[in-house]
Amino acid sequence: AEARAAAVRSGIPALRVEVEKAARVLDEPAARLITRGRERLLRLDEVATLLRSRVLVVDACRRVVRLGLAGVPLSTRPVLFALVRALAEASPGDVSREALVAGAFGARRIDGSHRARLRVEIGRLRKLTAPFLDIGATKGGFVLRPRSGGVVHVLAWPEDDAGAAVLALLSDGEAWTSSALAMALGGSARTVQRSLGELAGAGKVQWFGLGRARRWTLATVPEFPTILLLPPPFETG
């Protein structure tokens, strides 16, 4: 609002257009909320309100299990996060051992070694997230229950694909190299390049320069703003 007022006072049409463009971006969906199997899109201000509230949130955008300002980061533990997200999305129901093994380990055929590894990883997850949730065994698999009661919420990207995270970073308006994107996302350069190629084919990104000098930017106003605009402070619990 302050920027809009300043742009009006300046009398510069291009500046007013830039402010209105930014305002439209901030009104677009920033994340997807999954609760008890139901999904809805959230604006950036709604994401901020959710993260400030005293509810259990499995944040799939930052890979954190959080309750208010306290949280357990799992960005370096992809298997553990895959397990907790699967359990959270199914809560208050349980998830079969077969589904957990397939989702977390990528195994097509499940044998005794997979079941043993699952027990080990579930034990590690229990230990790390004990202040916030309880993971119980059921006849068919495992179930997640928030220690504070209530329900568990999963916060995810508006679109669950590799291109969503790339678009989120590009939405800052800067020109990125593919190697810088790969470093920021913690993935391989080849995966990022493949995502950029698909996004360019869809008309969502554009590039300029050749070879190592090639830079990537958004082709148009992004379809959603990055929730990286939100400050991420929380205390490790």
Side-chain angles (χ1 to χ4, degrees):
E2 293 176 359
R4 183 181 287 112
V8 171
R9 290 195 301 271
S10 72
I12 303 174
L15 185 58
R16 295 182 63 176
V17 171
E18 189 70 18
V19 172
E20 292 303 325
K21 176 181 177 181
R24 288 196 302 271
V25 170
L26 292 175
D27 284 335
E28 292 294 322
R32 180 164 44 96
L33 183 66
I34 306 171
T35 307
R36 288 183 171 177
R38 297 184 178 181
E39 301 184 7
R40 69 183 182 94
L41 295 174
L42 301 182
R43 297 190 310 273
L44 193 62
D45 59 323
E46 294 174 314
V47 174
T49 299
L50 175 70
L51 297 183
R52 286 195 301 264
S53 63
R54 295 290 298 176
V55 297
L56 182 64
V57 178
V58 174
D59 188 343
C61 301
R62 296 190 181 93
R63 296 191 176 186
V64 174
V65 177
R66 59 199 308 159
L67 183 67
L69 295 180
V72 177
L74 296 174
S75 58
T76 60
R77 309 292 291 272
V79 170
L80 296 188
F81 187 80
L83 292 173
V84 75
R85 177 174 179 177
L87 292 168
E89 290 188 357
S91 181
D94 64 349
V95 182
S96 69
R97 291 171 175 81
E98 291 74 15
L100 290 173
V101 167
F105 307 148
R108 296 182 178 181
R109 295 184 178 181
I110 302 173
D111 55 28
S113 65
H114 292 116
R115 294 179 182 274
R117 184 185 175 192
L118 178 62
R119 288 194 297 270
V120 171
E121 298 295 352
I122 288 290
R124 291 171 176 165
L125 184 61
R126 281 194 181 113
K127 184 177 180 179
L128 286 173
T129 60
F132 307 114
L133 55 89
D134 174 65
I135 300 175
T138 65
K139 183 177 180 180
F142 293 93
V143 63
L144 182 153
R145 302 184 185 92
R147 292 195 181 278
S148 59
V151 299
V152 58
H153 305 274
V154 176
L155 189 68
W157 297 105
E159 300 177 16
D160 265 334
D161 56 33
V166 173
L167 284 175
L169 290 176
L170 290 178
S171 67
D172 68 354
E174 297 294 330
W176 289 68
T177 63
S178 59
S179 59
L181 289 169
M183 183 179 298
L185 295 172
S188 69
R190 180 168 296 182
T191 299
V192 170
Q193 289 168 357
R194 184 166 55 250
S195 296
L196 288 169
E198 294 173 354
L199 292 170
K204 295 183 178 181
V205 300
Q206 60 189 9
W207 57 269
F208 58 89
L210 299 174
R212 294 187 177 183
R214 178 170 294 184
R215 298 292 187 273
W216 295 85
T217 62
L218 287 179
T220 58
V221 177
E223 295 183 1
F224 59 89
T226 170
I227 71 159
L228 299 178
L229 291 171
L230 292 170
F234 62 86
E235 301 173 358
T236 301

